[in-house]
Amino acid sequence: MSDLKTQVMAALSTVIEPELHRDIVSLNMVRDLEIVGDTATFTIVLTTPACPLKNVFLSRCNDAVIGKVSGISRLDIKWDAQVPTDRRIGGNLDVPMRSIIAVASGKGGVGKSTVATNLSVALADAGARVGLIDADILNPNIPMMMGLGNGRPRVVNNKMLPIEAYGVKVMSTGFLIEADKPMIMRGPMLHSAIRQFFTDVNWGNLDYMVVDLPPGTGDAPLSLAQSFPLTGAIVVTQPQDVAVSDALRGAAMFEQLNVPLLGIVENMAGDFFGTGGGERLANDRKIPFLGRIPLDAEVRKGGDYGRPVAIVQPDSAAGKAFTQMAQTVAARISVVMLQTADVIPLNIIG
């Protein structure tokens, strides 16, 4: 590496990644450094396509290099993204996915599936490869919310192909049964169905697998946590006390199962259900608060008609809240995974 490249890399090593609190050079986020005249060209590899901090990196890199390294008066920064891999998944599952995120709630009716749907489509819209499993086996709602109510998966080489909508690959028992037929299963059957959604479906390569769990602390979340290495869990609650008390039990369940809690989402906030209960729970339990979603009729309509508001109305208050929540979740996933990894597995070229 030339002397000037060495100086630029040394200057960039003073730039701290805001979420991980380590410098971007030791994290191997800087690569392909070239010097052309007075311009330093390099790529910053983000830990998620949904990263909202590009402007922060631009500002900090310019402050670190321009005026500090003689001969460099301009930076040309390109962007790439590589979601860190939860290495436990490869050791337990022969499926090419980097992370598994459970979306749970302590009780029904708090909008958990709505959060899971909008989280998935927002991550996909940012450029991530996303799968969504409807693990509410007995009461599948995801097909309707994704506009896939009449979908039927094809089988190729003895594996089902997930059905795609809004850039998200989806699998649900709702694709496999008639809408007016009940699903009647005992615990072991639920366990088997959830496992088959991982192992008997050809997902391809995924950055994020989002699993929409049934409400409560019953067989499905227990089976999932015991069968697969969960990167983390999100607990959804409404703001009012009765919902928060149930969310508390849901969070405690994941803590007992040693599943990292990514955080709390407060859904349906506003005059009707109140505001702040989910955030108070997060603060009391010292759990990250992932965002507050306002109560909005358009969110409900989006679920009924298969048009997630994060995509269909991204500039609405709810659409912006879902997008910000997805970015916060992606950042939290990166932090959780990189706490147990030394570096992002990339090679520095230069």
Side-chain angles (χ1 to χ4, degrees):
M1 186 180 292
S2 70
D3 182 60
L4 194 51
K5 283 187 178 180
T6 301
Q7 293 180 50
V8 171
M9 289 296 285
L12 291 173
S13 70
T14 67
V15 176
I16 302 301
E17 207 284 343
E19 298 286 348
L20 304 176
H21 307 296
R22 288 175 55 188
D23 73 89
I24 61 175
V25 172
S26 69
L27 286 168
N28 283 357
M29 295 176 67
V30 180
R31 61 173 173 171
D32 300 343
L33 174 63
E34 296 290 344
I35 307 297
V36 181
D38 64 349
T39 300
T41 299
F42 56 92
T43 299
I44 293 180
V45 181
L46 304 169
T47 59
T48 172
C51 180
L53 302 174
K54 288 183 180 180
N55 288 335
V56 174
F57 285 115
L58 281 171
S59 176
R60 292 186 178 184
C61 288
N62 276 282
D63 290 345
V65 177
I66 305 304
K68 306 293 197 311
V69 178
S70 179
I72 300 298
S73 60
R74 180 175 174 271
L75 300 184
D76 180 11
I77 302 177
K78 298 177 175 62
W79 304 98
D80 199 354
Q82 182 171 341
V83 177
T85 300
D86 190 331
R87 297 174 183 174
R88 300 170 303 159
I89 295 175
N92 289 268
L93 281 173
D94 184 23
V95 288
M97 56 187 65
R98 294 180 178 272
S99 58
I100 302 173
I101 304 101
V103 181
S105 65
K107 62 177 291 184
V110 300
K112 169 188 52 60
S113 295
T114 299
V115 169
T117 297
N118 281 275
L119 168 64
S120 299
V121 299
L123 289 173
D125 188 58
R129 299 166 300 180
V130 183
L132 173 59
I133 287 178
D134 187 354
D136 196 347
I137 304 297
L138 304 181
N139 298 289
N141 293 316
I142 293 297
M144 178 184 292
M145 292 184 168
M146 293 292 285
L148 299 171
N150 295 318
R152 289 291 184 270
R154 294 191 300 123
V155 177
V156 177
N157 296 327
N158 295 319
K159 286 204 171 188
M160 289 184 289
L161 298 181
I163 302 176
E164 188 167 329
Y166 303 102
V168 178
K169 295 179 178 180
V170 184
M171 184 52 63
S172 169
T173 53
F175 298 146
L176 309 176
I177 62 171
E178 298 299 324
D180 60 347
K181 302 295 183 183
M183 289 289 291
I184 302 173
M185 290 185 175
R186 294 184 182 274
M189 298 171 69
L190 290 172
H191 173 89
S192 176
I194 292 173
R195 186 168 188 84
Q196 283 185 282
F197 278 169
F198 279 91
T199 59
D200 293 347
V201 176
N202 186 354
W203 290 104
N205 292 293
L206 298 178
D207 296 313
Y208 304 103
M209 173 60 84
V210 178
V211 183
D212 179 39
L213 289 170
T217 57
D219 287 330
L222 184 62
S223 294
L224 181 68
Q226 291 180 335
S227 300
F228 305 107
L230 299 183
T231 304
I234 297 166
V235 176
V236 180
T237 184
Q238 288 174 327
Q240 75 270 33
D241 289 345
V242 66
V244 170
S245 64
D246 289 325
L248 173 60
R249 286 185 281 274
M253 175 193 67
F254 287 111
E255 289 173 340
Q256 289 187 19
L257 294 171
N258 294 317
V259 174
L261 277 166
L262 298 175
I264 303 292
V265 173
E266 182 181 297
N267 193 29
M268 303 185 192
D271 292 340
F272 194 81
F273 290 114
T275 300
E279 186 170 10
R280 286 193 298 273
L281 171 61
N283 292 336
D284 290 345
R285 300 287 292 189
K286 295 181 172 55
I287 301 168
F289 182 62
L290 300 175
R292 177 176 293 114
I293 313 300
L295 180 65
D296 187 335
E298 294 304 314
V299 177
R300 189 271 303 166
K301 292 177 185 177
D304 286 346
Y305 303 136
R307 301 191 304 231
V309 70
I311 298 299
V312 177
Q313 297 185 17
D315 294 327
S316 66
K320 290 178 179 178
F322 277 123
T323 299
Q324 179 62 53
M325 181 266 294
Q327 292 172 345
T328 304
V329 168
R332 277 287 297 146
I333 292 168
S334 297
V335 169
V336 167
M337 285 199 284
L338 291 176
Q339 282 174 342
T340 57
D342 293 331
V343 294
I344 301 170
L346 299 171
N347 294 321
I348 299 177
I349 302 173

